[in-house]
């Protein structure tokens, strides 16, 4: 079903299919799937998606549909399968990147190159409910330009991953990042939204935070996430941590403000410790001279300085990568 959040009026979506009332024909749909070493799951993924396109066409929700697989530098037979499938089915297309650029850049490459009135992005592992695309298209027909797929439950995740993921969303909201809770990269974007996204040229990409900044009328579709059909997750802890840092540092300067406050607090604490050490020196002759005023501030200030330098370094690294203006991805082949 299509819902609207309880906290914002901007998410209002008309209940009636206003596009059809205004004479708009059913849209042409492109489905974008970033792939990295997905050889095991792609046969079933492509089979289900082609059946889905048939169903959407027969039900009148779309005029026509196509699949765009983006090979993000896979090391297995992913690209070979995409080539063979594209050769046998005209609705299947492939985009091969020159190397592994990461999930977000691969997804962006697909979004910017896939045609169509609407583009739906989805992972290739079949964990996202394909039937939710019908609700997304209904939301588009009712006037929404962006329709977010939101996980109703995270029962397929481990308890650790579920807790850390929900904590991460909460932290991002707390520091002012406009993010859709429990939304990953399963979403529908209309052509005007894609063209607006094309104007954003930053190298450091975090689409989950970038898409809501575009504005446009939006809606939510809730679905239940399934188990991975085959293969293993291509997002180990190191990549999830890198994506988490990317999300925080790309959309908020709160960590830098925290450093300023932390510096003030530590200065006050250090002044209090100096006063206490002086009191000990004057009124407790048996105390070992210099131990408090040397050891405690040394370790405390050293640790805080290293932490602050690390946070500042993250922002400097982003400035460095942005000023070089290197391509976000390079497409080696298009089929």
């Amino acid at each position: 079903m299509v819902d609207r959040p309880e906290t914002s009026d901007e998410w209002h979506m008309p209940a009636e299919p206003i596009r059809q009332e205004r004479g708009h024909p059913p849209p042409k749909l492109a489905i974008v799937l970033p792939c990295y070493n997905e050889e095991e799951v792609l046969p079933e993924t492509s089979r289900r998606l082609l059946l889905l396109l048939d169903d959407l066409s027969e039900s009148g929700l779309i005029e026509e549909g196509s699949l765009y697989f983006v090979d993000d530098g896979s090391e297995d037979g992913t690209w070979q399968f995409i080539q063979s499938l594209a050769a046998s089915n005209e609705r299947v297309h492939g985009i091969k990147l020159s190397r592994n650029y990461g999930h977000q850049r691969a997804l962006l490459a697909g979004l910017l190159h896939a045609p169509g009135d609407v583009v739906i992005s989805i992972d290739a592992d079949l964990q996202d409910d394909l039937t939710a695309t019908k609700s997304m298209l209904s939301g588009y027909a009712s006037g929404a330009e962006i329709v977010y797929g939101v996980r109703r439950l995270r029962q397929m995740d481990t308890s650790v991953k579920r807790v850390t993921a929900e904590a991460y969303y909460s932290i991002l909201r707390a520091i002012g990042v406009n993010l859709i809770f429990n939304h990953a990269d399963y979403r529908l974007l209309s052509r005007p939204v894609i063209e607006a996204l094309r104007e954003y040229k930053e190298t450091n990409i975090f689409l989950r935070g970038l898409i809501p900044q575009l504005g446009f009328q939006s809606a939510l579709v809730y679905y239940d996430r399934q188990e991975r059909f085959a293969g293993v997750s291509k997002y180990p802890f190191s990549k999830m941590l890198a994506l988490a840092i990317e999300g925080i540092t790309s959309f908020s300067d709160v960590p830098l403000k925290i450093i300023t406050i932390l510096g003030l607090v530590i200065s006050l604490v250090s002044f209090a410790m100096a006063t206490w050490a002086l009191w000990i020196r004057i009124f407790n002759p048996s105390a070992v001279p210099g131990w408090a005023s040397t050891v405690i501030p040394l370790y405390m200030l050293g640790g805080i300085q290293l932490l602050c330098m690390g946070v500042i370094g993250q922002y400097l690294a982003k400035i460095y990568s942005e000023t070089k203006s290197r391509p976000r991805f390079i497409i080696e082949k298009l089929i």
Side-chain angles (χ1 to χ4, degrees):
M1 61 180 296
V2 180
D3 294 312
R4 54 176 291 190
E6 300 176 356
T7 56
S8 176
D9 291 333
E10 68 177 340
W11 294 73
H12 171 70
M13 185 181 70
E16 299 299 327
I18 61 174
R19 295 185 195 272
Q20 280 77 357
E21 291 179 356
R22 295 174 181 174
H24 291 274
K28 296 179 180 179
L29 168 68
I31 299 179
V32 171
L33 301 96
C35 307
Y36 178 66
N37 293 340
E38 297 288 4
E39 179 184 19
E40 296 180 58
V41 74
L42 280 185
E44 180 64 16
T45 300
S46 58
R47 185 189 71 82
R48 294 190 190 182
L49 285 173
L50 289 171
L51 289 175
L52 175 67
L53 292 181
D54 291 336
D55 184 27
L56 295 176
S57 297
E58 292 172 2
S59 61
L61 288 173
I62 64 172
E63 180 180 344
E64 60 183 54
S66 55
L67 306 179
Y68 283 79
F69 293 93
V70 184
D71 179 22
D72 187 24
S74 298
E75 300 172 349
D76 60 0
T78 294
W79 179 246
Q80 288 73 22
F81 176 82
I82 295 172
Q83 282 183 307
S84 62
L85 185 62
S88 61
N89 194 311
E90 63 181 7
R91 293 183 295 176
V92 177
H93 308 270
I95 301 173
K96 179 175 173 56
L97 303 186
S98 60
R99 63 173 176 84
N100 179 244
Y101 286 90
H103 179 272
Q104 294 292 284
R105 296 189 184 195
L107 178 55
L108 182 66
L111 292 176
L112 297 184
H113 286 81
D117 302 309
V118 295
V119 179
I120 292 179
S121 60
I122 187 172
D123 289 338
D125 55 16
L126 292 177
Q127 288 192 273
D128 295 324
D129 184 7
L130 298 183
T131 61
T133 57
K134 293 185 177 181
S135 297
M136 290 183 177
L137 289 165
S138 297
Y140 170 77
S142 298
E145 303 290 346
I146 304 173
V147 183
Y148 298 97
V150 179
R151 303 168 186 175
R152 184 180 289 108
L153 298 173
R154 303 185 68 108
Q155 71 274 16
M156 295 296 108
D157 295 339
T158 64
S159 57
V160 174
K161 184 176 181 180
R162 181 168 57 253
V163 170
T164 54
E166 292 179 352
Y168 174 64
Y169 282 110
S170 299
I171 291 172
L172 284 176
R173 282 186 171 182
I175 63 177
V177 180
N178 185 13
L179 204 67
I180 309 303
F181 193 78
N182 272 340
H183 163 70
D185 291 295
Y186 188 21
R187 65 178 76 89
L188 177 148
L189 303 177
S190 69
R191 179 51 50 186
V193 177
I194 297 291
E195 296 308 314
L197 179 63
R198 199 183 302 276
E199 299 300 316
Y200 284 71
K201 306 297 185 182
E202 59 252 46
T203 301
N204 302 285
I205 303 168
F206 184 66
L207 291 172
R208 301 176 196 181
L210 184 58
I211 299 297
Q213 286 195 351
L214 299 177
F216 295 96
Q217 188 165 312
S218 309
L220 302 183
V221 169
Y222 291 90
Y223 69 96
D224 293 322
R225 193 163 166 82
Q226 310 299 319
E227 293 185 4
R228 169 180 270 271
F229 179 80
V232 296
S233 173
K234 307 307 184 299
Y235 245 78
F237 176 76
S238 58
K239 287 189 176 181
M240 288 191 291
L241 181 61
L243 183 64
I245 295 174
E246 186 78 58
I248 293 174
T249 55
S250 293
F251 293 95
S252 176
D253 61 354
V254 169
L256 294 175
K257 295 177 181 178
I258 291 176
I259 287 178
T260 303
I261 297 173
L262 190 60
L264 177 61
V265 172
I266 294 300
S267 297
L268 294 176
V269 172
S270 299
F271 178 77
M273 290 182 63
T275 304
W276 174 72
L278 181 62
W279 186 89
I280 292 292
R281 176 68 181 84
I282 296 174
F283 297 101
N284 189 2
S286 61
V288 177
W291 68 271
S293 60
T294 301
V295 176
I296 298 178
L298 178 65
Y299 283 100
M300 179 180 293
L301 294 177
I304 294 299
Q305 286 176 343
L306 289 175
L307 173 62
C308 295
M309 288 176 62
V311 174
I312 294 173
Q314 287 290 326
Y315 283 91
L316 288 177
K318 286 186 174 296
I319 295 173
Y320 177 65
S321 61
E322 293 290 348
T323 54
K324 288 187 294 185
S325 299
R326 292 178 178 175
R328 294 175 290 186
F329 50 82
I330 296 175
I331 295 178
E332 181 179 335
K333 294 180 181 178
L334 283 170
I335 57 174

